[in-house]
């Protein structure tokens, strides 16, 4: 940490490179984690009903194995073809072996994580808290794209994220107290849980998934309970605007379910960096306090 004090430019550079590298790994997480969950569910169902289901696949499949391959020609991706952003540009977005197009989303996610880490490093001084916020951002990126793809928010990510937020307060890294973090986690979960059951009692329909409750609990742990109203309001506005645009582009009506987790994640990331400034601006400029 002292090195970053003597050379202030080093922290943004280190954070950006780390963000690009982690972004490459997050592409694997986003693709594989939902499939790992499906395999686990299949195995659990087979254990309970072996006579009514096919046996689950036995080959190893996790975040590190098997090695990444081209979905078209099944050739293994070499390490020099897996350099964040650069490899995609050098290959012109195509597989080296069969010229099958490689989705532009892969380098865009790497650029996104790099830009988010750079923004944090420029806005927050080098400290345990800024390092933690960078890690927090990486998990939000993974949750966002998994939810967009599958409408799932895996417990494997949301629950560790919540406990990590409480841990930062316990260790004294966070700008809020441990009590605020614990109350934030409780209030975050219970607020959406209450809305869920109220909506279900009135309409007999489910308005959101339990993953959203756990994600807001995690955000409450990282931000403290004081930031939850702003997160809920901002995510609701973002969800209403961009969710409707998303449905219209997909040719679907307003009754079609859409992912709310990404908008919670965006609101939480904005709040952890600029929440105090937004709150101050609101009370002074809008309310006149």
């Amino acid at each position: 940490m002292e090195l970053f004090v003597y050379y202030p430019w080093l922290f943004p550079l280190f954070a950006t490179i780390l963000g690009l590298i982690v972004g490459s790994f997050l592409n694997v997480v986003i693709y594989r984690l939902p499939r790992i969950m499906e395999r686990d569910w299949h195995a659990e169902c087979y254990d309970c009903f072996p006579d009514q289901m096919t046996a689950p696949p036995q080959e190893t499949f996790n975040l590190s194995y098997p090695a990444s391959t081209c979905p078209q020609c099944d050739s293994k991706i070499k390490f020099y073809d897996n350099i964040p952003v650069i490899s995609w540009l050098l290959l012109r977005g195509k597989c080296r072996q069969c010229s099958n197009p490689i989705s532009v989303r892969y380098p865009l996610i790497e650029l996104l994580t790099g830009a988010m880490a750079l923004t944090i490093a420029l806005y927050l001084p080098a400290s345990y808290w800024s390092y933690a916020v960078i890690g927090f951002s990486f998990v939000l990126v993974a949750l966002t794209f998994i939810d967009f793809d599958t409408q799932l928010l895996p417990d494997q990510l949301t629950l560790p994220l919540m406990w990590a937020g409480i841990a930062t307060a316990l260790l004294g890294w966070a700008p809020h107290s441990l009590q605020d973090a614990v109350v934030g986690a409780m209030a975050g979960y219970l607020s959406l849980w209450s809305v869920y059951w109220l909506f279900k009692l009135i309409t007999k329909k489910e308005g959101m998934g339990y993953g959203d409750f756990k994600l807001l609990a995690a955000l409450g742990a990282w931000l403290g309970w004081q930031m939850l109203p702003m997160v809920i309001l901002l995510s609701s506005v973002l969800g209403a605007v961009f969710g409707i645009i998303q449905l219209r582009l997909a040719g679907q009506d307003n009754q079609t379910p859409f992912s709310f987790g990404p908008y919670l994640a965006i609101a939480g990331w904005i709040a952890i960096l600029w929440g105090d400034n937004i709150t101050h601006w609101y009370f002074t400029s809008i309310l006149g306090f």
Side-chain angles (χ1 to χ4, degrees):
M1 193 179 298
E2 291 183 0
L3 191 63
F4 294 148
V5 174
Y6 291 120
Y7 303 98
W9 55 269
L10 195 58
F11 181 38
L13 177 63
F14 172 79
T16 304
I17 295 173
L18 177 65
L20 292 171
I21 295 171
V22 172
S24 181
F25 173 69
L26 291 184
N27 279 317
V28 177
V29 174
I30 292 165
Y31 175 79
R32 294 196 181 192
L33 184 55
R35 287 158 180 79
I36 293 171
M37 294 167 60
E38 290 176 3
R39 283 172 168 246
D40 291 341
W41 296 335
H42 188 172
E44 291 173 3
C45 292
Y46 180 76
D47 289 340
C48 296
F49 309 102
D51 298 332
Q52 303 177 29
M53 297 192 64
T54 58
Q58 297 301 314
E59 65 272 12
T60 302
F61 185 81
N62 52 43
L63 295 180
S64 59
Y65 186 88
S68 298
T69 60
C70 172
Q72 182 70 25
C73 65
D74 205 35
S75 60
K76 290 186 178 180
I77 298 176
K78 306 296 184 182
F79 74 92
Y80 48 78
D81 288 336
N82 211 21
I83 302 172
V85 181
I86 296 175
S87 291
W88 189 89
L89 292 173
L90 292 176
L91 292 170
R92 298 181 181 179
K94 297 179 181 179
C95 172
R96 181 182 294 273
Q97 304 300 325
C98 67
S99 297
N100 184 57
I102 302 172
S103 174
V104 71
R105 195 173 87 165
Y106 295 125
L108 288 180
I109 288 177
E110 294 163 356
L111 287 171
L112 174 63
T113 53
M116 292 172 71
L118 173 61
T119 301
I120 294 165
L122 292 174
Y123 189 76
L124 298 176
S127 65
Y128 291 124
W129 174 241
S130 59
Y131 306 154
V133 172
I134 290 174
F136 165 81
S137 304
F138 294 156
V139 178
L140 290 186
V141 170
L143 286 168
T144 293
F145 285 95
I146 289 175
D147 200 12
F148 270 136
D149 290 344
T150 65
Q151 294 192 353
L152 296 173
L153 290 169
D155 289 350
Q156 293 93 324
L157 296 178
T158 55
L159 297 183
L161 186 65
M162 181 190 71
W163 290 113
I166 293 174
T168 60
L170 177 64
L171 294 170
W173 300 350
H176 52 269
S177 67
L178 176 61
Q179 179 177 332
D180 289 342
V182 173
V183 174
M186 295 169 59
Y189 187 92
L190 290 174
S191 58
L192 289 188
W193 179 87
S194 302
V195 172
Y196 167 88
W197 279 106
L198 180 62
F199 182 82
K200 188 172 183 178
L201 289 173
I202 294 174
T203 65
K204 309 300 181 184
K205 300 178 181 178
E206 296 186 358
M208 64 183 67
Y210 277 62
D212 296 320
F213 313 162
K214 298 168 190 175
L215 177 54
L216 189 57
L219 295 179
W222 278 87
L223 300 169
W225 63 268
Q226 297 90 338
M227 287 291 176
L228 286 176
M230 186 182 72
V231 171
I232 294 173
L233 177 61
L234 182 58
S235 61
S236 299
V237 172
L238 291 172
V241 174
F242 292 102
I244 292 175
I245 294 174
Q246 176 186 343
L247 293 177
R248 289 289 184 269
L249 292 176
Q252 299 169 330
D253 58 37
N254 294 341
Q255 301 302 315
T256 304
F258 68 92
S259 303
F260 185 57
Y263 306 110
L264 283 173
I266 294 170
W269 192 77
I270 292 173
I272 205 168
L273 288 181
W274 301 290
D276 290 335
N277 294 338
I278 294 173
T279 302
H280 177 75
W281 168 82
Y282 178 77
F283 279 105
T284 56
S285 300
I286 304 300
L287 299 183
F289 290 166

